[in-house]
Amino acid sequence: MASSQHLSLAGGAQGFNWLPVFVAEEHGIFAKHGLVIEYKKMGTVDKATTAVVEGEADLAITPPEGAVSNFVKGGELRVIASNSNRLPMSLVAQPSVKTIKDLKGKKVGTSSLTEGTAIYTQMLLSKEGLRYPGDYEFELAGIHTKRWEALQAGEIACAPQPAPWNFLAEREGYNLIGEINDVIPEIVFAAVIGRKSWLDGNRDVVGRFLKALFEAYAITNDPSRDDITLPIFQRITTKDDSELASRGLHYMRDMGMWPGDLSIPQAAMNATVDLMIRANLLDEAARSSAAGVFERSFLQGAVGWLKYV
């Protein structure tokens, strides 16, 4: 086995999208590639990005917006691989709300009034002719657990909820009236990011890390390996409910949540940049250059036989 190398890996909540990472850790794949991973749970995605910028962590798995913003300003952050390329969310509505059109004049819960869930929801509702502002209101309801509480309290008419909590709501009599994946079929939900100077100086350890992830993703995406993946997924989502965990895992895997080759399709990068511009996180003038944040050489070096487009 190769000599042991330490690598610090930051993340915000380290939730369901980290499933392949935990598979690699708990089933000795990192160790097989001579890696000892130090996990840094930072609490928020912004802090995970900052940890890489400031050298507190070598790499992070986190949404790519911070890396894109840093890159277009001439910073060192780079995206070297995808963690996940889908948004596994349903629009969950009160039992009295049967369709998206029924939301006219009602309150919609989100975690932000201008970013993320607010943009996803606007795009979904606009397909059915509802416009914002005017046809409905946004209510700042917080993260998915807080949105669920607001739904139960009747404070909002609907909210986007990730799996498997969308299925929990459905089981409790709430309606799933739309899928975010229908309007945003590909997006960089989370990515592996690092500093260019560190990446260039540590190509061997980066290559080992990506090779280990590649093996773990193959297990994660294999339905016959649920004996490995489902207990981990249940632990990090609905730890007391195996049925909900199973539905959530299959839902995410079936939609292609975890890309087997760790790559970022152009459509996913374009969607990420477009949503950043919509949220005023990026100037329109930076649209054409923003995709340069993805440095394919690290992924190609680790699994050079893969095909890239």
Side-chain angles (χ1 to χ4, degrees), residues 45-160:
V45 297
D46 292 342
K47 288 181 180 179
T49 301
T50 300
V52 177
V53 171
E54 297 180 349
E56 182 182 350
D58 300 324
L59 300 173
I61 293 177
T62 191
E65 288 83 359
V68 173
S69 295
N70 175 274
F71 171 77
V72 299
K73 294 173 183 176
E76 273 213 292
L77 290 187
R78 301 292 186 271
V79 169
I80 62 169
S82 174
N83 162 259
S84 44
N85 287 339
R86 298 288 189 272
L87 286 169
M89 292 184 181
S90 302
L91 198 61
V92 174
Q94 295 285 351
S96 60
V97 176
K98 307 299 184 183
T99 69
I100 287 176
K101 291 184 183 297
D102 294 338
L103 293 173
K104 191 165 186 177
K106 294 184 168 58
K107 290 183 178 181
V108 178
T110 71
S111 58
S112 167
L113 298 180
T114 58
E115 302 174 20
T117 52
I119 296 176
Y120 311 154
T121 304
Q122 284 183 58
M123 292 175 69
L124 185 58
L125 269 58
S126 69
K127 286 190 67 176
E128 298 297 326
L130 297 187
R131 298 288 181 257
Y132 178 84
D135 288 335
Y136 56 93
E137 297 179 47
F138 275 133
E139 179 79 12
L140 193 58
I143 63 173
H144 66 274
T145 52
K146 295 298 184 182
R147 296 196 296 270
W148 175 227
E149 292 173 4
L151 278 164
Q152 292 176 297
E155 297 169 357
I156 54 177
C158 78

Side-chain angles (χ1 to χ4, degrees), residues 28-276:
I29 299 172
F30 284 139
K32 184 181 80 171
H33 287 275
L35 293 175
V36 177
I37 307 296
E38 177 189 1
Y39 295 92
K40 292 178 175 288
K41 185 181 287 190
M42 308 306 297
T44 69
V45 297
D46 292 342
K47 288 181 180 179
T49 301
T50 300
V52 177
V53 171
E54 297 180 349
E56 182 182 350
D58 300 324
L59 300 173
I61 293 177
T62 191
E65 288 83 359
V68 173
S69 295
N70 175 274
F71 171 77
V72 299
K73 294 173 183 176
E76 273 213 292
L77 290 187
R78 301 292 186 271
V79 169
I80 62 169
S82 174
N83 162 259
S84 44
N85 287 339
R86 298 288 189 272
L87 286 169
M89 292 184 181
S90 302
L91 198 61
V92 174
Q94 295 285 351
S96 60
V97 176
K98 307 299 184 183
T99 69
I100 287 176
K101 291 184 183 297
D102 294 338
L103 293 173
K104 191 165 186 177
K106 294 184 168 58
K107 290 183 178 181
V108 178
T110 71
S111 58
S112 167
L113 298 180
T114 58
E115 302 174 20
T117 52
I119 296 176
Y120 311 154
T121 304
Q122 284 183 58
M123 292 175 69
L124 185 58
L125 269 58
S126 69
K127 286 190 67 176
E128 298 297 326
L130 297 187
R131 298 288 181 257
Y132 178 84
D135 288 335
Y136 56 93
E137 297 179 47
F138 275 133
E139 179 79 12
L140 193 58
I143 63 173
H144 66 274
T145 52
K146 295 298 184 182
R147 296 196 296 270
W148 175 227
E149 292 173 4
L151 278 164
Q152 292 176 297
E155 297 169 357
I156 54 177
C158 78
Q161 291 290 85
W165 295 276
N166 54 347
F167 300 126
L168 169 63
E170 184 181 43
R171 192 167 69 183
E172 295 295 318
Y174 293 77
N175 296 321
L176 306 187
I177 61 172
E179 293 291 318
I180 301 299
N181 194 56
D182 288 344
V183 291
I184 310 175
E186 290 185 285
I187 191 170
V188 189
F189 179 71
V192 182
I193 70 170
R195 294 185 322 280
K196 182 170 175 55
S197 57
W198 185 89
L199 292 165
D200 286 341
N202 293 272
R203 283 188 173 267
D204 175 66
V205 69
V206 173
R208 295 188 200 186
F209 178 71
L210 293 175
K211 288 176 182 178
L213 283 187
F214 184 75
E215 291 186 32
Y217 273 59
I219 294 172
T220 301
N221 287 321
D222 185 349
S224 72
R225 308 301 295 275
D226 277 5
D227 59 315
I228 292 176
T229 53
L230 183 54
I232 298 173
F233 188 81
Q234 181 177 340
R235 189 186 71 224
I236 57 181
T237 55
T238 52
K239 62 182 180 180
D240 297 321
D241 197 317
S242 60
E243 180 186 356
L244 281 178
S246 179
R247 287 191 70 186
L249 175 59
H250 294 160
Y251 170 83
M252 292 185 192
R253 189 164 57 204
D254 289 349
M255 71 165 53
M257 174 80 177
W258 297 284
D261 60 3
L262 307 184
S263 68
I264 299 175
Q266 191 61 52
M269 181 60 74
N270 289 346
T272 297
V273 171
D274 185 58
L275 263 64
M276 289 184 67

